[in-house]
Amino acid sequence: MNSAPASSPALELRGIDKRFGTVHANRRISLTIARGSIHGLIGENGAGKSTLMNIVYGFYPADAGEILVGGRRVDVGSPQDAIAAGIDMVHQHFMLVENFTVLENIVLGAEGGWQLAAGLARARARLEALARDYGLEVPLDAVVSTLPVGLQQRVEILKALHRGAEILILDEPTAVLTPQEADQLFRLLGRLRDQGKTVILVTHKLREIMAVTDRVTVMRQGSIVAEVATRDTSPRDLAEKMVGRAVLLRVEKGPARPGEVVLAARGLEVRDRRQVARLKNVSFQLRAGEIVGIAGVAGNGQSELLAALAGTLAPSRGEIELAGHELVRERLDARARRALGLAHVPEDRLHDGMIGGFAAEDNAILGYHDRAAYNRGALQDRRAITADCERKMTGYDVRPPRPRLPLASFSGGNQQKLVLAREIEAAPRVLLVGQPTRGVDIGAIEFIHRRLVALRDAGCAVLVVSVELDEILGLADRILVMAGGEVIGEVPRAEATEERLGLMMAGVRGEGAA
Amino acid sequence: MTEPGRLPKWVDYGLLPALNLLAALLLAGGIIRLMGESPVAALKLLADGAGGSPESIGYTLYYATNFIFTGLAVAVAYHAGLFNIGAEGQAYIGGLGTGLVCLAVGHWPFWIVLPLAILAGAAGGAAWAFVPAWLQARRGSHIVITTIMFNFIASALMTYLLVNVLIRPGQQSPETREFAAASFMPVLPFFGAPLNLAFVVALGVAALVWIFIWRTRWGYAWRVAGANPSAAVYAGIHPDRVTLGAMLLSGALAGLLGLNELMGAQHRILLDFPGGAGFVGIAVALMGRNHPVGIVASAILFGALVQGGSQLSFDMPRVNRDMVVVIQGLVILFCGALEHMFRAPLVAWYRRRLEQSNPQSAIRNPQS
């Protein structure tokens, strides 16, 4: 530690060790975080960074090691202990009561006595002071569910400060934000640091680390592999340390040669159970040999669009044309659509695209299990199914290449490669891909992107939905931006910039954003 | 966050059930001790009564036959993600079908009567399972609730039919006349009555169920729908159709119980002939891990408990019939409800052993 040797560090971890079953999630982690700094914690999925932070926040006990706050050893047995020690955490999924006001949410659990009104009044005075000090304006009397996501996140931060947090852990805070909202968050974090708070930023996005942190710790396979001052490193350097080898951060591809229209959506509308329109009047066309990207903040109708196209959700209005068929009018289900050449890699792989308890080979035929190649009369052709899975595992570098292993015991990247192999090897006309690299390590991301580009070059129409703007910008030839359930504009790749897409994602119409 | 922990098959299917059974027997032994009898003597009587002679083995297997049918019924529904508590009622109504065939055409050649009786039994059980299945698939009424209620309806219906319609004229007891002798299930040689051909039929059906569930695309689709309904929709499998299909097959399997109980032993339709086999089937399926081989094995175990238990209560007056039910209940408790009690320690023990022999294996499952 080169900064402020006089004062003790805000947080020190000594030899933290944690196992889950056979998984060694944290290996004797020792880490020192300086007071009044923004410290980045970066690593691939499964590197152990969330586990480490959950130990600090008292969610899990560590198997070994100790935690020191401000130089004093603390016993963090529960989140209450952590909060008492001045450690607080803003989770990726907010912990707010949606139909309470901001003030009620912040006071929740710290009402201070049985008279609610008195507690609320005291809290209000304090919060107004806090908001002034940190530039954290939040309408205290607004109901949380009416606030945009960016403001809800501020409520979480304000709640933490109100509870006396000195050390604030943010777990993937930008996953639900537009780029502009993310910038606002980073400015806020800067102000917190300047006021002497300590911030730990857990993320897998290199850009964010470079933009806001003072120091960064890189984790890989449960261990710390590097700790550097941010100004002494580069995204490429960090990526290599995360993966353990040189990586390509950019997708390499030639220009697209779009052919005929293969899929057309007209006026699609999807309503949820409460009859609220989640998808409003969406129309677009997909051509052979192009990758169309759908950009948007999570929860703006992309999932409903994918589901409506794939046939797992019935639209209340509109039509989808594919290979001379009207899919909605003819009530073609997912299976019938597959037969017409529509393949689908779902957004939520674990939930929709596979069965974790089934062997890999049984997952490799899901959706195609009726095909003649996998059956001999009434019986399944188990030998063909195994051979088919072996072939896919070799072709897509799925490790370990053992078809009989339950899919749940493969890593996220390998699961995704197998799902991708299943859908691509069916030689589709149209491939729908949701979050192609969610929960996938950097090494596999490269591979998956290359495969998608190769599929495009082979004449398939590819629709990619991703909340990772970098991924959309890297892959797509044409970008549709969704906000509030609508396609708010279309941007050719050449004209797309992060700023312009960000504005559109926030709901500003295409023309205005140009 | 703790991962399930995988055990080798011999532990999962051999050691674990054996430990559960042992725990149940130890506790039962303790109770027998408290009653002032010798647990060792009681166990000897139980074992002797269940398997000490060809005749007692025959009885054990005869009881087991009922449990195989109902156990398979529960297992088939389970693989499709359904908990069928209604095997009792389905067996009851299925038996009505079998019995009616025997009453109507029982004098025909046996090899014509048998397929008819099988079909009628399966149809009766399937019909009784259809209504709850339809309510679940189309209306979302929970199948656990509806199948339980259908057991009572079946019971009331059968009482009505036997008391008012099917009763043999001029007698007090609510049962039909005896079937024509030509329709009696052939008794298996060596063991003697009541063990009959239905046991062989049950083994054949178990094999067919295995093939259907694990070796056909339909069984595959059912298992997908049972394990992950949203993945099923994604794959173009319709969960409501699976619910209907799986419950029809489940009911049909339970409906075959009459082959053994009526055609094989009682030779008439009488009140409450399933005698709780539908409920024992739940325990049998649980203990047999919903696999036909396991089901046959655990059905034989429960058959042995029934047969050995009745011998026990006969020879040891202080251990009455209710005590035998207690022992069965303990076995169900330990093998069903507390199935995983010894699992966690076994997983830990096995992992330690694995790590000692091969330290590398500790990291063979990288997270996520």
Side-chain angles (χ1 to χ4, degrees), chain A residues 69-192:
Chain A
V69 176
R72 273 213 318 278
R73 206 185 145 195
V74 291
D75 216 11
V76 187
S78 70
Q80 281 77 16
D81 295 341
I83 291 166
I87 303 169
D88 218 322
M89 186 155 170
V90 175
H91 296 266
Q92 201 173 344
H93 303 285
F94 303 146
M95 310 276 180
L96 296 172
V97 183
E98 295 243 311
N99 52 358
F100 275 21
T101 65
V102 171
L103 186 63
E104 286 167 338
N105 262 291
I106 290 174
V107 170
L108 191 65
E111 293 86 351
W114 58 274
Q115 279 182 299
L116 188 58
L120 286 177
R122 271 197 307 277
R124 182 185 297 276
R126 213 172 138 217
L127 286 169
E128 277 163 359
L130 275 175
R132 230 180 8 257
D133 292 349
Y134 296 104
L136 243 175
E137 271 75 32
V138 179
L140 289 179
D141 295 311
V143 174
V144 162
S145 61
T146 64
L147 297 178
V149 180
L151 271 182
Q152 292 190 15
Q153 193 173 49
R154 287 180 165 214
V155 175
E156 286 277 25
I157 295 172
L158 197 57
K159 186 166 88 183
L161 294 174
H162 177 70
R163 294 196 293 208
E166 287 299 318
I167 302 167
L168 195 60
I169 303 167
L170 291 110
D171 186 12
E172 302 281 359
T174 59
V176 290
L177 303 182
T178 64
Q180 282 82 358
E181 285 175 319
D183 287 341
Q184 283 174 16
L185 171 69
F186 295 152
R187 280 198 293 277
L188 170 63
L189 295 184
R191 284 196 295 277
L192 290 176

Side-chain angles (χ1 to χ4, degrees), chain B residues 15-168:
Chain B
L15 187 57
L16 206 51
L19 277 176
N20 288 326
L21 188 61
L22 191 69
L25 289 179
L26 278 176
L27 195 55
I31 296 171
I32 289 172
R33 171 103 252 185
L34 285 177
M35 297 171 75
E37 294 278 5
S38 156
V40 178
L43 187 63
K44 259 191 82 180
L45 275 174
L46 188 82
D48 198 50
S53 66
E55 198 200 5
S56 53
I57 294 174
Y59 265 95
T60 292
L61 296 181
Y62 152 73
Y63 289 122
T65 306
N66 287 346
F67 302 152
I68 292 173
F69 285 129
T70 54
L72 289 172
V74 174
V76 162
Y78 175 86
H79 283 294
L82 300 161
F83 202 12
N84 180 12
I85 314 271
E88 184 80 6
Q90 291 144 20
Y92 212 170
I93 302 296
L96 174 67
T98 299
L100 289 179
V101 165
C102 293
L103 287 170
V105 298
H107 52 282
W108 289 4
F110 180 74
W111 298 110
I112 298 175
V113 175
L114 180 62
L116 287 178
I118 289 177
L119 282 179
W128 207 247
F130 175 76
V131 183
W134 188 87
L135 289 171
Q136 168 84 67
R138 293 290 134 82
R139 300 257 157 223
S141 317
H142 204 288
I143 205 145
V144 168
I145 309 293
T146 48
T147 50
I148 290 176
M149 295 197 295
F150 264 68
N151 287 335
F152 291 101
I153 302 175
S155 176
L157 176 67
M158 289 298 285
T159 305
Y160 168 79
L161 288 177
L162 284 170
V163 170
N164 298 292
V165 184
L166 296 172
I167 192 167
R168 180 180 176 192

Side-chain angles (χ1 to χ4, degrees), chain A residues 272-330:
Chain A
D272 65 13
R273 213 171 281 165
R274 278 177 276 163
Q275 293 303 309
V276 179
R278 312 296 296 191
L279 196 64
K280 299 169 194 160
N281 193 26
V282 169
S283 303
F284 65 92
Q285 293 184 331
L286 275 182
R287 292 174 179 279
E290 68 170 351
I291 299 181
V292 173
I294 299 213
V297 177
N300 276 277
Q302 304 97 310
S303 309
E304 287 79 3
L305 175 61
L306 271 186
L309 292 174
T312 54
L313 190 64
S316 48
R317 203 175 295 164
E319 190 51 82
I320 304 160
E321 276 175 41
L322 172 70
H325 288 268
E326 293 188 325
L327 305 185
V328 179
R329 191 182 53 78
E330 295 175 45

Side-chain angles (χ1 to χ4, degrees), chain A residues 22-23 27 60 333-334 338 344 351-352 354-355 362 365-366 369-370 375 377 379-380 382 411-412 422-423, chain B residues 1 3 211 215-218 220 223 227-228 230-231 233-238 351 362-363 365 367-368:
Chain A
T22 55
V23 179
R27 296 162 191 266
Y60 315 133
D333 65 6
R338 272 196 185 83
H344 177 205
H351 193 250
D352 299 325
M354 53 176 258
I355 301 113
D362 281 328
I365 61 170
L366 183 67
H369 52 277
D370 285 320
N375 293 286
L379 297 185
Q380 286 186 315
R382 296 306 307 183
S411 74
R422 179 181 75 206
E423 301 302 321
Chain B
M1 281 298 289
E3 60 159 34
I211 291 171
R215 285 294 179 268
T216 72
R217 71 193 89 152
W218 306 288
Y220 173 87
R223 286 187 292 126
N228 185 344
S230 72
V233 172
Y234 161 80
I237 298 162
H238 298 258
R351 191 186 313 128
I363 43 168
N365 278 350
Q367 201 187 359
S368 87

Side-chain angles (χ1 to χ4, degrees), chain A residues 26-77:
Chain A
N26 283 164
R27 296 162 191 266
R28 293 175 303 284
I29 300 280
S30 294
L31 179 61
T32 306
I33 292 170
R35 192 184 303 279
S37 72
I38 300 182
H39 196 106
L41 185 58
I42 195 164
E44 295 188 314
N45 292 287
K49 51 190 197 299
S50 296
T51 304
L52 187 64
M53 288 303 110
N54 280 324
I55 288 172
V56 171
Y57 190 55
F59 265 137
Y60 315 133
D63 295 342
E66 50 188 33
I67 299 171
L68 290 85
V69 176
R72 273 213 318 278
R73 206 185 145 195
V74 291
D75 216 11
V76 187

